Amino acid sequence: MKKIIFLSLILVLVQQSSAGQTRKFLRDKIAEWGSCKNVAMTLTGGDVALIERNGWAATGIPDEMTAELNELNDKDELIDDVVLTEEGNWLVLWSNNGVTSSGAPRSLDEMIDQWNEAAETINSITFNDAGDWIMISDDKYSASDAELLEWIGQGENEFGELWAAHMTNTGLVAVYENGYKFLGDVPDNLIEKLNETDLDVYRLKFLSDGSYFIADEEGNYVYFL
């Protein structure tokens, strides 16, 4: 089981508007499928659920994102991860290093281009409406600024390899091989679940209202939606 360290530092991030709503769409879809690979969630209504190689379902997402997910499904491309922000910015991570996005920070787009030119396999991308971002591959990571890179590196020194990260407009969780780091507004119930779960967490999504989805590489998952 991974260790936990909680940091009370706060990133300078945009304040998100909380609708305080539940994730009924995601709950119903996961119940219908009986499984779920990954999700994207927002406080303002947009939610996405992924299943198996490229199955998906969503509500309240931009039309362009819907079109991209449909196209990837039609082409039988792997849909690995999705990002959706409160302001409707989005990203789809597909195949080994395919990325399609709208509204992603320019510096992230530039780093994606560099990694694509180097044929780097991208495992995880997260960004928020304030322009903060983190991108992770098998053997390296990058972030939007030096302060964030230093924070990630401190966790790597303590907990080993960085596996994944997820940020909202007010909080951040970094998932390492042997632990986690928390920054800003991270719900207590998520911290408690990570402390007690037997899952070797590889995927993590959360909201400030306490909703979360965690899963290991084999697709075993736990959620509170």
Side-chain angles (χ1 to χ4, degrees):
M1 185 181 301
K2 297 176 178 176
K3 297 186 299 179
I4 289 183
I5 184 169
F6 182 76
L7 300 186
S8 59
L9 305 175
I10 298 178
L11 287 172
V12 180
L13 302 172
V14 174
Q15 179 66 36
Q16 64 185 12
S17 61
S18 174
Q21 60 192 41
T22 62
R23 313 269 69 82
K24 184 178 186 303
F25 172 82
L26 293 178
R27 290 200 310 271
D28 291 348
K29 187 53 62 176
I30 293 171
E32 175 188 334
W33 287 342
S35 65
C36 186
K37 180 171 72 175
N38 208 342
V39 303
M41 307 181 291
T42 70
L43 291 168
T44 48
D47 296 312
V48 185
L50 301 180
I51 184 173
E52 297 177 347
R53 179 174 175 81
N54 53 27
W56 67 277
T59 183
I61 69 173
D63 292 342
E64 295 83 358
M65 188 179 191
T66 297
E68 177 64 17
L69 291 169
N70 276 329
E71 182 176 353
L72 292 170
N73 182 273
D74 290 342
K75 292 180 177 179
D76 197 30
E77 296 279 5
L78 171 69
I79 302 175
D80 197 34
D81 199 2
V82 282
V83 178
L84 182 62
T85 75
E86 302 299 331
E87 294 183 5
N89 299 311
W90 59 271
L91 179 146
V92 179
L93 176 61
W94 53 276
S95 190
N96 286 334
N97 58 358
V99 178
T100 308
S101 66
S102 175
R106 178 175 297 180
S107 58
L108 171 58
D109 286 337
E110 292 171 352
M111 187 59 65
I112 290 170
D113 288 342
Q114 291 181 33
W115 284 23
N116 279 338
E117 289 175 4
E120 190 76 29
T121 298
I122 302 170
N123 294 334
S124 175
I125 299 176
T126 185
F127 69 91
N128 63 22
D129 293 317
D132 304 295
W133 59 266
I134 298 171
M135 184 164 61
I136 304 164
S137 74
D138 283 336
D139 54 11
K140 66 181 180 180
Y141 56 84
S142 187
S144 49
D145 59 66
E147 183 178 357
L148 191 50
L149 283 170
E150 181 180 2
W151 182 85
I152 295 169
Q154 291 169 353
E156 189 175 41
N157 290 336
E158 185 166 1
F159 299 120
E161 182 183 354
L162 178 67
W163 282 359
H166 178 67
M167 59 173 57
T168 67
N169 286 343
T170 56
L172 165 64
V173 178
V175 179
Y176 297 88
E177 182 179 6
N178 298 304
Y180 310 89
K181 283 190 74 175
F182 306 93
L183 196 60
D185 184 14
V186 179
D188 290 341
N189 66 322
L190 172 58
I191 297 171
E192 292 169 2
K193 176 54 67 175
L194 292 174
N195 193 35
E196 70 184 23
T197 185
D198 291 328
L199 286 179
D200 201 9
V201 177
Y202 186 76
R203 300 181 185 275
L204 180 149
K205 302 293 177 69
F206 75 95
L207 294 172
S208 62
D209 68 358
S211 300
Y212 64 77
F213 177 93
I214 59 175
D216 63 17
E217 285 190 271
E218 286 70 46
N220 302 302
Y221 61 89
V222 177
Y223 63 82
F224 180 81
L225 303 170

